Amino acid sequence: QVQLVESGGGLVHAGDSLRLSCAASGRTFSGYAMGWFRQAPGKDREFVSAITWSAGSTRYADSVKGRFTLSRDNAKNTAYLQMNSLKPEDTAVYYCAATNMVLPTTLPYEYIYWGQGTQVTVSS
């Protein structure tokens, strides 16, 4: 069992930056690929970014590519989502998740463990 806790969300203005953290506890963290998803009111949960357990490969949704950077520190059992140049359309609840897939999958159902989410609100 892996427990995931997100932090770092908040209310910011368009163009600002935020760094979300996802702290893992329980079973070893380094064996899992990690992903971030987000869900805006009335919309489906959508893929944001994912990273392999070795941090050797990352994937990004087109909507965040060039603005968001996902990294991880396995020694600290923590993954970080650096979000720059935030836009109002980035407003959502952001969830981190862990999967035992080798590749950084974009599919929510392939993730085994989920955090409770952290709210990000970007005002125009």
Side-chain angles (χ1 to χ4, degrees):
Q1 189 79 4
V2 175
Q3 293 79 40
L4 303 174
V5 178
E6 303 95 336
S7 61
L11 171 62
V12 296
H13 296 292
D16 286 350
S17 298
L18 277 175
R19 189 177 79 158
L20 304 183
S21 299
C22 175
S25 61
R27 293 187 61 183
T28 178
F29 174 72
S30 62
Y32 292 85
M34 301 297 296
W36 283 91
F37 293 78
R38 65 188 183 186
Q39 188 166 19
K43 295 187 176 181
D44 293 335
R45 189 168 297 189
E46 65 170 352
F47 170 77
V48 175
S49 182
I51 189 168
T52 55
W53 73 268
S54 67
S57 177
T58 53
R59 295 183 70 175
Y60 297 94
D62 288 343
S63 58
V64 306
K65 200 170 294 183
R67 300 188 297 123
F68 290 12
T69 302
L70 179 56
S71 62
R72 65 189 295 165
D73 185 340
N74 288 339
K76 296 182 178 180
N77 289 344
T78 303
Y80 304 97
L81 184 66
Q82 178 67 44
M83 306 186 297
N84 298 329
S85 303
L86 283 162
K87 305 175 181 180
E89 51 264 44
D90 294 318
T91 295
V93 177
Y94 283 70
Y95 299 89
C96 71
T99 175
N100 56 5
M101 302 291 289
V102 174
L103 297 177
T105 176
T106 66
L107 302 173
Y109 63 79
E110 292 187 327
Y111 286 81
I112 303 171
Y113 304 107
W114 290 83
Q116 82 291 346
T118 185
Q119 177 71 46
V120 171
T121 303
V122 184
S123 63
S124 57

mmCIF file of all heavy atoms in Angstrom, residues 97-123:
data_model
loop_
_atom_site.group_PDB
_atom_site.id
_atom_site.type_symbol
_atom_site.label_atom_id
_atom_site.label_comp_id
_atom_site.label_asym_id
_atom_site.label_seq_id
_atom_site.Cartn_x
_atom_site.Cartn_y
_atom_site.Cartn_z
ATOM 1 N N ALA A 97 -0.713 10.365 -8.556
ATOM 2 C CA ALA A 97 -1.056 8.960 -8.582
ATOM 3 C C ALA A 97 0.191 8.132 -8.853
ATOM 4 O O ALA A 97 1.162 8.635 -9.426
ATOM 5 C CB ALA A 97 -2.113 8.696 -9.657
ATOM 6 N N ALA A 98 0.139 6.868 -8.454
ATOM 7 C CA ALA A 98 1.269 5.963 -8.629
ATOM 8 C C ALA A 98 0.817 4.724 -9.379
ATOM 9 O O ALA A 98 -0.272 4.204 -9.151
ATOM 10 C CB ALA A 98 1.854 5.577 -7.278
ATOM 11 N N THR A 99 1.688 4.265 -10.275
ATOM 12 C CA THR A 99 1.404 3.077 -11.062
ATOM 13 C C THR A 99 2.621 2.170 -11.109
ATOM 14 O O THR A 99 3.745 2.655 -11.067
ATOM 15 C CB THR A 99 0.990 3.454 -12.502
ATOM 16 O OG1 THR A 99 0.832 2.255 -13.268
ATOM 17 C CG2 THR A 99 2.058 4.302 -13.178
ATOM 18 N N ASN A 100 2.369 0.870 -11.240
ATOM 19 C CA ASN A 100 3.488 -0.051 -11.385
ATOM 20 C C ASN A 100 3.811 -0.323 -12.848
ATOM 21 O O ASN A 100 4.591 -1.219 -13.156
ATOM 22 C CB ASN A 100 3.231 -1.355 -10.638
ATOM 23 C CG ASN A 100 1.950 -2.034 -11.079
ATOM 24 O OD1 ASN A 100 1.295 -1.578 -12.007
ATOM 25 N ND2 ASN A 100 1.589 -3.114 -10.412
ATOM 26 N N MET A 101 3.218 0.453 -13.740
ATOM 27 C CA MET A 101 3.572 0.366 -15.148
ATOM 28 C C MET A 101 4.997 0.865 -15.340
ATOM 29 O O MET A 101 5.429 1.793 -14.665
ATOM 30 C CB MET A 101 2.614 1.215 -15.985
ATOM 31 C CG MET A 101 1.163 0.833 -15.842
ATOM 32 S SD MET A 101 0.769 -0.760 -16.576
ATOM 33 C CE MET A 101 0.917 -0.339 -18.311
ATOM 34 N N VAL A 102 5.704 0.273 -16.295
ATOM 35 C CA VAL A 102 7.082 0.679 -16.560
ATOM 36 C C VAL A 102 7.126 2.051 -17.210
ATOM 37 O O VAL A 102 7.940 2.907 -16.846
ATOM 38 C CB VAL A 102 7.790 -0.352 -17.456
ATOM 39 C CG1 VAL A 102 9.176 0.147 -17.845
ATOM 40 C CG2 VAL A 102 7.867 -1.696 -16.756
ATOM 41 N N LEU A 103 6.226 2.276 -18.175
ATOM 42 C CA LEU A 103 6.215 3.543 -18.886
ATOM 43 C C LEU A 103 5.268 4.532 -18.186
ATOM 44 O O LEU A 103 4.333 4.121 -17.517
ATOM 45 C CB LEU A 103 5.777 3.328 -20.326
ATOM 46 C CG LEU A 103 6.716 2.451 -21.156
ATOM 47 C CD1 LEU A 103 6.146 2.247 -22.560
ATOM 48 C CD2 LEU A 103 8.101 3.072 -21.230
ATOM 49 N N PRO A 104 5.481 5.820 -18.344
ATOM 50 C CA PRO A 104 4.618 6.824 -17.716
ATOM 51 C C PRO A 104 3.294 6.935 -18.448
ATOM 52 O O PRO A 104 3.129 7.759 -19.332
ATOM 53 C CB PRO A 104 5.444 8.112 -17.820
ATOM 54 C CG PRO A 104 6.317 7.914 -19.003
ATOM 55 C CD PRO A 104 6.635 6.455 -19.051
ATOM 56 N N THR A 105 2.343 6.109 -18.057
ATOM 57 C CA THR A 105 1.070 6.022 -18.744
ATOM 58 C C THR A 105 0.199 7.262 -18.522
ATOM 59 O O THR A 105 0.262 7.906 -17.474
ATOM 60 C CB THR A 105 0.309 4.772 -18.288
ATOM 61 O OG1 THR A 105 -0.971 4.746 -18.912
ATOM 62 C CG2 THR A 105 0.135 4.751 -16.774
ATOM 63 N N THR A 106 -0.625 7.562 -19.511
ATOM 64 C CA THR A 106 -1.544 8.697 -19.433
ATOM 65 C C THR A 106 -2.940 8.278 -18.996
ATOM 66 O O THR A 106 -3.823 9.118 -18.863
ATOM 67 C CB THR A 106 -1.651 9.395 -20.791
ATOM 68 O OG1 THR A 106 -2.275 8.493 -21.721
ATOM 69 C CG2 THR A 106 -0.292 9.787 -21.331
ATOM 70 N N LEU A 107 -3.159 6.982 -18.780
ATOM 71 C CA LEU A 107 -4.497 6.459 -18.531
ATOM 72 C C LEU A 107 -4.782 6.357 -17.039
ATOM 73 O O LEU A 107 -4.079 5.640 -16.313
ATOM 74 C CB LEU A 107 -4.647 5.084 -19.182
ATOM 75 C CG LEU A 107 -4.394 5.072 -20.694
ATOM 76 C CD1 LEU A 107 -4.402 3.657 -21.223
ATOM 77 C CD2 LEU A 107 -5.421 5.925 -21.404
ATOM 78 N N PRO A 108 -5.810 7.049 -16.545
ATOM 79 C CA PRO A 108 -6.088 7.042 -15.103
ATOM 80 C C PRO A 108 -6.297 5.636 -14.535
ATOM 81 O O PRO A 108 -5.875 5.365 -13.401
ATOM 82 C CB PRO A 108 -7.367 7.881 -14.979
ATOM 83 C CG PRO A 108 -7.383 8.744 -16.188
ATOM 84 C CD PRO A 108 -6.738 7.930 -17.269
ATOM 85 N N TYR A 109 -6.937 4.745 -15.305
ATOM 86 C CA TYR A 109 -7.257 3.434 -14.748
ATOM 87 C C TYR A 109 -6.033 2.551 -14.566
ATOM 88 O O TYR A 109 -6.098 1.494 -13.944
ATOM 89 C CB TYR A 109 -8.313 2.718 -15.602
ATOM 90 C CG TYR A 109 -7.895 2.392 -17.015
ATOM 91 C CD1 TYR A 109 -7.085 1.295 -17.300
ATOM 92 C CD2 TYR A 109 -8.323 3.183 -18.081
ATOM 93 C CE1 TYR A 109 -6.717 0.992 -18.594
ATOM 94 C CE2 TYR A 109 -7.953 2.879 -19.383
ATOM 95 C CZ TYR A 109 -7.153 1.788 -19.632
ATOM 96 O OH TYR A 109 -6.781 1.497 -20.914
ATOM 97 N N GLU A 110 -4.899 2.972 -15.093
ATOM 98 C CA GLU A 110 -3.670 2.204 -14.915
ATOM 99 C C GLU A 110 -2.898 2.637 -13.663
ATOM 100 O O GLU A 110 -1.842 2.110 -13.373
ATOM 101 C CB GLU A 110 -2.791 2.317 -16.161
ATOM 102 C CG GLU A 110 -3.416 1.607 -17.371
ATOM 103 C CD GLU A 110 -2.503 1.544 -18.578
ATOM 104 O OE1 GLU A 110 -1.714 2.490 -18.778
ATOM 105 O OE2 GLU A 110 -2.592 0.548 -19.331
ATOM 106 N N TYR A 111 -3.427 3.617 -12.943
ATOM 107 C CA TYR A 111 -2.815 4.055 -11.698
ATOM 108 C C TYR A 111 -3.506 3.377 -10.522
ATOM 109 O O TYR A 111 -4.723 3.296 -10.461
ATOM 110 C CB TYR A 111 -2.881 5.573 -11.573
ATOM 111 C CG TYR A 111 -1.896 6.245 -12.490
ATOM 112 C CD1 TYR A 111 -2.195 6.438 -13.832
ATOM 113 C CD2 TYR A 111 -0.649 6.651 -12.032
ATOM 114 C CE1 TYR A 111 -1.287 7.023 -14.701
ATOM 115 C CE2 TYR A 111 0.266 7.250 -12.888
ATOM 116 C CZ TYR A 111 -0.049 7.421 -14.218
ATOM 117 O OH TYR A 111 0.858 7.993 -15.074
ATOM 118 N N ILE A 112 -2.685 2.898 -9.604
ATOM 119 C CA ILE A 112 -3.190 2.091 -8.503
ATOM 120 C C ILE A 112 -3.542 2.958 -7.296
ATOM 121 O O ILE A 112 -4.556 2.736 -6.632
ATOM 122 C CB ILE A 112 -2.127 1.055 -8.079
ATOM 123 C CG1 ILE A 112 -1.731 0.169 -9.260
ATOM 124 C CG2 ILE A 112 -2.647 0.197 -6.929
ATOM 125 C CD1 ILE A 112 -0.540 -0.715 -8.965
ATOM 126 N N TYR A 113 -2.672 3.909 -6.986
ATOM 127 C CA TYR A 113 -2.834 4.718 -5.783
ATOM 128 C C TYR A 113 -3.039 6.179 -6.170
ATOM 129 O O TYR A 113 -2.413 6.678 -7.108
ATOM 130 C CB TYR A 113 -1.597 4.590 -4.884
ATOM 131 C CG TYR A 113 -1.276 3.175 -4.498
ATOM 132 C CD1 TYR A 113 -0.188 2.509 -5.045
ATOM 133 C CD2 TYR A 113 -2.084 2.484 -3.599
ATOM 134 C CE1 TYR A 113 0.105 1.210 -4.706
ATOM 135 C CE2 TYR A 113 -1.802 1.173 -3.248
ATOM 136 C CZ TYR A 113 -0.709 0.540 -3.811
ATOM 137 O OH TYR A 113 -0.440 -0.757 -3.465
ATOM 138 N N TRP A 114 -3.887 6.845 -5.397
ATOM 139 C CA TRP A 114 -4.225 8.245 -5.665
ATOM 140 C C TRP A 114 -4.164 9.051 -4.379
ATOM 141 O O TRP A 114 -4.502 8.551 -3.295
ATOM 142 C CB TRP A 114 -5.641 8.344 -6.235
ATOM 143 C CG TRP A 114 -5.755 7.795 -7.616
ATOM 144 C CD1 TRP A 114 -5.926 6.492 -7.973
ATOM 145 C CD2 TRP A 114 -5.705 8.548 -8.838
ATOM 146 N NE1 TRP A 114 -5.986 6.393 -9.348
ATOM 147 C CE2 TRP A 114 -5.857 7.633 -9.895
ATOM 148 C CE3 TRP A 114 -5.547 9.903 -9.139
ATOM 149 C CZ2 TRP A 114 -5.850 8.030 -11.239
ATOM 150 C CZ3 TRP A 114 -5.554 10.292 -10.467
ATOM 151 C CH2 TRP A 114 -5.702 9.372 -11.498
ATOM 152 N N GLY A 115 -3.767 10.308 -4.510
ATOM 153 C CA GLY A 115 -3.860 11.237 -3.396
ATOM 154 C C GLY A 115 -5.247 11.843 -3.326
ATOM 155 O O GLY A 115 -6.111 11.558 -4.165
ATOM 156 N N GLN A 116 -5.441 12.713 -2.343
ATOM 157 C CA GLN A 116 -6.762 13.307 -2.115
ATOM 158 C C GLN A 116 -6.977 14.567 -2.955
ATOM 159 O O GLN A 116 -8.102 15.060 -3.047
ATOM 160 C CB GLN A 116 -6.943 13.642 -0.633
ATOM 161 C CG GLN A 116 -6.319 14.957 -0.178
ATOM 162 C CD GLN A 116 -4.806 14.967 -0.180
ATOM 163 O OE1 GLN A 116 -4.167 13.920 -0.267
ATOM 164 N NE2 GLN A 116 -4.226 16.158 -0.059
ATOM 165 N N GLY A 117 -5.928 15.086 -3.546
ATOM 166 C CA GLY A 117 -6.047 16.240 -4.423
ATOM 167 C C GLY A 117 -5.722 17.547 -3.727
ATOM 168 O O GLY A 117 -5.880 17.685 -2.510
ATOM 169 N N THR A 118 -5.269 18.522 -4.510
ATOM 170 C CA THR A 118 -5.012 19.867 -4.007
ATOM 171 C C THR A 118 -5.554 20.865 -5.029
ATOM 172 O O THR A 118 -5.383 20.689 -6.237
ATOM 173 C CB THR A 118 -3.508 20.089 -3.744
ATOM 174 O OG1 THR A 118 -3.310 21.370 -3.147
ATOM 175 C CG2 THR A 118 -2.677 20.000 -5.016
ATOM 176 N N GLN A 119 -6.226 21.893 -4.541
ATOM 177 C CA GLN A 119 -6.882 22.849 -5.416
ATOM 178 C C GLN A 119 -5.898 23.884 -5.936
ATOM 179 O O GLN A 119 -5.129 24.477 -5.161
ATOM 180 C CB GLN A 119 -8.011 23.567 -4.665
ATOM 181 C CG GLN A 119 -8.712 24.645 -5.457
ATOM 182 C CD GLN A 119 -9.579 24.088 -6.564
ATOM 183 O OE1 GLN A 119 -10.344 23.150 -6.358
ATOM 184 N NE2 GLN A 119 -9.464 24.668 -7.768
ATOM 185 N N VAL A 120 -5.940 24.098 -7.238
ATOM 186 C CA VAL A 120 -5.183 25.177 -7.874
ATOM 187 C C VAL A 120 -6.190 26.091 -8.558
ATOM 188 O O VAL A 120 -6.987 25.631 -9.383
ATOM 189 C CB VAL A 120 -4.174 24.628 -8.901
ATOM 190 C CG1 VAL A 120 -3.549 25.773 -9.701
ATOM 191 C CG2 VAL A 120 -3.103 23.812 -8.202
ATOM 192 N N THR A 121 -6.167 27.361 -8.202
ATOM 193 C CA THR A 121 -7.056 28.341 -8.802
ATOM 194 C C THR A 121 -6.225 29.480 -9.380
ATOM 195 O O THR A 121 -5.410 30.068 -8.668
ATOM 196 C CB THR A 121 -8.051 28.902 -7.770
ATOM 197 O OG1 THR A 121 -8.791 27.814 -7.187
ATOM 198 C CG2 THR A 121 -9.026 29.867 -8.428
ATOM 199 N N VAL A 122 -6.427 29.741 -10.667
ATOM 200 C CA VAL A 122 -5.678 30.785 -11.358
ATOM 201 C C VAL A 122 -6.663 31.853 -11.794
ATOM 202 O O VAL A 122 -7.554 31.592 -12.605
ATOM 203 C CB VAL A 122 -4.911 30.228 -12.562
ATOM 204 C CG1 VAL A 122 -4.054 31.325 -13.190
ATOM 205 C CG2 VAL A 122 -4.054 29.041 -12.157
ATOM 206 N N SER A 123 -6.502 33.045 -11.259
ATOM 207 C CA SER A 123 -7.396 34.149 -11.618
ATOM 208 C C SER A 123 -6.811 34.926 -12.790
ATOM 209 O O SER A 123 -5.593 35.029 -12.951
ATOM 210 C CB SER A 123 -7.602 35.073 -10.429
ATOM 211 O OG SER A 123 -6.373 35.677 -10.055
#
